[in-house]
């Protein structure tokens, strides 16, 4: 937005705005949501959005490349400067605080954080123990949390602590494998071993080993010891992400998980195997049937990521140059809880797009709010899994916790849309309850 004089502003405000736009603008500057404005004026929320965009255009406000959606915030700032009497007290206070600090670049909430990011939040005093654990011979760390809770960001920091010790690293994400890789057990184990050799820049002789008579697990173990551990002869971190993806393929999952447990046991018996450190990332409890002594999910060092606390969010808000007190944190948590991705998305937009907290929260559970892509993506995914969709409908429309069949419950928990308590499962936050309840009522 270029510099606008008071005279230019008054000319546009007086002559360019259409009569039907003025009541929309009036309520917008009072911090009302599009949905509330639409209901009050008996129009559609999309019409409200269109009017605001047209008003922004009239005032020569547009989104600049790389700056996010700043139009609505710039419109509020313009009225705070030239017609503050039309702006509600909350918006006046919020935008006055922002104007006093130079803007800094904020990391996007999408994707994992950089290891040295100032926006990373340590949620546990034990986090230093995770970094120490990976240095222990034969260690296994199991990180469990629903999607978008920060598993990969934590893994990045754990791995970073191994670099000063000249460890080698292999990272495999099972969602990166093509569907055909899971067509049979031999193809899968071949893919797994090949990718290990490829990342370590070793010659892959896996075919020679898999043709042996010892069985696939014994053959893979021989391959890994001879062609990997003995070949590199130094500590190796094997990080396996989205490991619960293979739960869909029961035969493969049973054999593969059994092999990981076997490798972990071998690190306690054989010197060369002490060089192996494993990190397993998963979103839900294992629902593949495995004997207790063959599962990798009851050994090693467990890490279960929690939601952000009120203090975590208050600290993070200040890192986003927001002068918040606990009342604003409580207002945000009432809608999104302490869910890391949802919290960071709100703080990002509050800083980068100059939206108000009132507007963010009032539009949150709609298809015009800041969470629209996230919510729409979940809704589209549910259309592919009718069983999960029916289960979520039962949960969001219930007035209390719901008990589901165990495997279905585990699958739904992995989405992050629900959480578990002693009585069953409930929506993870009010945002999900409101949005999906509305969808299911349509």
């Amino acid at each position: 937005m270029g510099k606008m004089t008071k005279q230019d502003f008054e000319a546009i405000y007086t002559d360019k705005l259409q009569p039907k736009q003025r009541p929309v603008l009036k309520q917008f500057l009072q911090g009302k949501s599009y949905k509330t404005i639409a209901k009050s004026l008996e129009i559609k929320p999309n019409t409200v959005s269109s009017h605001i965009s047209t008003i922004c255009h009239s005032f020569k406000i547009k989104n600049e490349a790389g700056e996010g959606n700043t139009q609505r915030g710039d419109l509020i700032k313009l009225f705070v400067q030239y017609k503050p009497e039309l702006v509600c007290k909350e918006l006046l206070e919020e935008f006055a605080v922002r104007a006093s600090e130079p803007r800094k670049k904020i990391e996007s909430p999408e994707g994992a954080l950089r290891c040295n990011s100032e926006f990373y939040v340590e949620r546990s005093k034990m986090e230093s123990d995770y970094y120490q654990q990976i240095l222990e011979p034969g260690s296994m760390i199991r990180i469990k949390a629903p999607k978008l809770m920060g598993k990969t960001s934590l893994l990045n920091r754990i791995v970073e602590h191994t670099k000063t010790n000249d460890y080698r690293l292999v990272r495999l994400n099972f969602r990166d494998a093509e569907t055909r890789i899971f067509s049979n057990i031999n193809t899968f184990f071949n893919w797994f071993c090949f990718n290990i050799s490829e990342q370590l820049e070793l010659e892959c002789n896996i075919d020679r080993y898999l043709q042996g008579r010892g069985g696939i697990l014994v053959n893979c173990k021989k391959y890994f010891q001879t062609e990997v551990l003995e070949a590199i002869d130094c500590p190796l971190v094997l990080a396996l992400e989205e490991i619960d993806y293979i739960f869909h393929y029961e035969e493969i999952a049973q054999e593969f998980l059994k092999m990981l447990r076997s490798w972990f046991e071998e690190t306690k018996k054989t010197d060369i195997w002490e060089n192996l450190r494993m990190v397993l990332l998963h979103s839900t409890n294992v629902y593949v049937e495995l004997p207790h002594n063959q599962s990798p999910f009851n050994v090693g060092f467990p890490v279960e990521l929690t939601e952000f606390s009120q203090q975590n969010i208050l600290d993070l808000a200040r890192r986003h140059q927001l002068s918040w007190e606990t009342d604003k944190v409580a207002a945000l948590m009432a809608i999104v809880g302490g869910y890391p991705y949802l919290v960071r998305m709100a703080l990002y937009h509050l800083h980068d797009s100059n939206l108000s907290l009132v507007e963010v929260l009032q539009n949150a559970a709609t298809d015009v709010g800041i969470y629209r892509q996230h919510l729409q993506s979940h809704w589209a995914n549910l259309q592919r899994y009718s069983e999960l969709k029916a289960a979520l409908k039962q949960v969001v429309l219930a007035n209390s916790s719901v008990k589901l069949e165990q495997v279905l419950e585990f699958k739904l928990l992995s989405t992050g849309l629900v959480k578990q308590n002693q009585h069953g499962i409930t929506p993870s936050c009010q945002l999900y309850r409101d949005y999906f309840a509305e969808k299911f009522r349509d």
Side-chain angles (χ1 to χ4, degrees):
M1 180 180 69
K3 182 68 175 174
M4 179 172 290
T5 66
K6 171 75 169 174
Q7 186 178 1
D8 291 337
F9 173 86
E10 289 291 354
I12 295 169
Y13 181 73
T14 303
D15 302 329
K16 295 291 181 70
L17 298 189
Q18 300 174 18
K20 60 185 177 181
Q21 294 172 344
R22 291 182 181 277
V24 173
L25 176 62
K26 180 180 178 181
Q27 294 195 42
F28 171 77
L29 294 173
Q30 290 301 304
K32 301 291 179 63
S33 70
Y34 288 177
K35 190 174 181 180
T36 301
I37 297 171
K39 186 175 181 180
S40 169
L41 300 178
E42 297 183 343
I43 56 179
K44 294 180 179 179
N46 286 343
T47 304
V48 175
S49 178
S50 178
H51 279 319
I52 296 298
S53 291
T54 304
I55 293 169
C56 288
H57 182 73
S58 297
F59 282 102
K60 299 181 173 57
I61 297 171
K62 62 181 180 178
N63 292 330
E64 298 296 338
E67 292 190 4
N69 181 17
T70 63
Q71 277 187 320
R72 287 152 182 76
D74 286 339
L75 182 62
I76 294 171
K77 283 196 291 186
L78 201 56
F79 275 82
V80 167
Q81 183 177 2
Y82 292 130
K83 270 199 177 301
E85 67 274 15
L86 298 182
V87 184
C88 68
K89 180 182 177 182
E90 291 78 12
L91 291 179
L92 282 173
E93 291 176 352
E94 192 165 336
F95 279 81
V97 168
R98 293 182 192 180
S100 66
E101 291 187 75
R103 182 189 294 269
K104 68 179 180 181
K105 187 170 179 60
I106 302 294
E107 280 184 64
S108 168
E110 303 291 347
L113 288 167
R114 293 179 289 105
C115 292
N116 61 348
S117 171
E118 68 172 297
F119 303 105
Y120 182 82
V121 175
E122 289 195 6
R123 284 168 261 181
S124 170
K125 293 179 180 178
M126 292 181 61
E127 191 154 318
S128 59
D129 293 342
Y130 312 158
Y131 308 141
Q132 186 59 41
Q133 189 68 27
I134 197 65
L135 305 178
E136 296 294 323
S139 60
M140 176 188 283
I141 300 175
R142 297 181 285 107
I143 305 174
K144 178 192 166 196
K147 292 177 174 62
L148 301 176
M149 282 287 285
K151 296 189 296 296
T152 304
S153 295
L154 176 57
L155 174 62
N156 289 345
R157 292 170 75 88
I158 291 173
V159 167
E160 187 68 17
H161 278 74
T162 69
K163 289 184 177 178
T164 56
N165 293 274
D166 295 325
Y167 286 19
R168 302 293 299 274
L169 170 68
V170 171
R171 288 180 72 158
L172 290 177
N173 188 318
F174 290 100
R175 285 194 180 273
D176 291 340
E178 302 167 18
T179 303
R180 66 174 183 82
I181 298 301
F182 301 96
S183 60
N184 67 70
I185 198 164
N186 285 320
T187 303
F188 173 79
F189 277 94
N190 195 304
W191 172 87
F192 176 70
C193 295
F194 172 79
N195 275 277
I196 292 174
S197 293
E198 185 79 3
Q199 288 194 32
L200 294 172
E201 299 181 331
L202 300 172
E203 185 178 350
C204 185
N205 298 311
I206 183 61
D207 289 339
R208 177 159 60 89
Y209 286 87
L210 291 184
Q211 292 170 4
R213 297 182 180 180
I216 197 161
L217 299 191
V218 171
N219 293 338
C220 276
K221 183 178 177 181
K222 287 180 179 178
Y223 154 79
F224 193 75
Q225 178 172 325
T226 305
E227 301 290 336
V228 178
L229 294 177
E230 292 177 0
I232 64 174
D233 195 24
C234 68
L236 168 66
V237 176
L238 178 61
L240 305 178
E241 302 179 64
E242 305 255 21
I243 197 169
D244 40 330
Y245 185 72
I246 67 171
F247 294 174
H248 301 296
Y249 307 93
E250 189 170 359
E251 181 188 6
I252 290 174
Q254 287 175 335
E255 297 303 315
F256 183 69
L257 297 176
K258 189 191 304 181
M259 183 183 77
L260 294 183
R261 174 60 181 264
S262 169
W263 287 9
F264 176 76
E265 300 293 350
E266 197 65 36
T267 65
K268 313 305 174 191
K269 298 183 290 186
T270 310
D271 289 347
I272 191 64
W273 280 84
E274 286 186 352
N275 279 336
L276 176 63
R277 283 89 163 137
M278 289 187 279
V279 187
L280 312 183
L281 275 64
H282 57 114
S283 298
T284 186
N285 291 327
V286 60
Y287 52 82
V288 176
E289 288 190 16
L290 280 173
H292 184 79
N293 63 355
Q294 294 181 356
S295 172
F297 295 106
N298 52 28
V299 293
F301 190 86
V303 177
E304 192 153 350
L305 294 180
T306 60
E307 295 183 13
F308 287 162
S309 67
Q310 186 177 80
Q311 187 59 50
N312 289 152
I313 298 174
L314 189 59
D315 292 342
L316 195 55
R318 289 167 181 165
R319 296 179 213 174
H320 283 76
Q321 296 183 302
L322 301 173
S323 298
W324 277 21
E325 299 299 335
T326 54
D327 59 333
K328 289 192 174 181
V329 175
L332 178 61
M333 294 186 78
I335 301 300
V336 304
Y339 202 95
Y341 172 77
L342 301 178
V343 169
R344 288 193 60 229
M345 178 67 78
L347 299 180
Y348 174 81
H349 280 279
L350 287 167
H351 174 277
D352 206 55
S353 300
N354 283 322
L355 293 171
S356 70
L357 180 61
V358 171
E359 185 178 4
V360 165
L361 297 183
Q362 289 187 341
N363 289 322
T366 72
D367 285 322
V368 296
I370 65 169
Y371 299 113
R372 59 188 178 277
Q373 291 183 335
H374 173 69
L375 295 168
Q376 289 166 0
S377 175
H378 271 300
W379 183 247
N381 193 52
L382 287 167
Q383 310 314 306
R384 298 164 50 209
Y385 301 101
S386 57
E387 192 178 32
L388 277 184
K389 183 179 178 182
L392 182 63
K393 180 177 181 179
Q394 185 181 349
V395 173
V396 299
L397 297 181
N399 294 321
S400 58
S401 301
V402 172
K403 286 280 189 182
L404 297 173
E405 183 270 326
Q406 189 179 62
V407 172
L408 185 57
E409 188 172 287
F410 287 168
K411 289 180 178 179
L412 199 54
L413 284 166
S414 74
T415 66
L417 296 175
V418 300
K419 60 184 177 183
Q420 193 171 33
N421 59 40
Q422 59 182 339
H423 304 295
I425 58 174
T426 62
S428 292
C429 58
Q430 194 63 38
L431 173 71
Y432 293 149
R433 183 184 289 279
D434 291 346
Y435 182 83
F436 291 107
E438 187 72 21
K439 286 291 185 183
F440 286 125
R441 291 191 187 106
D442 286 346

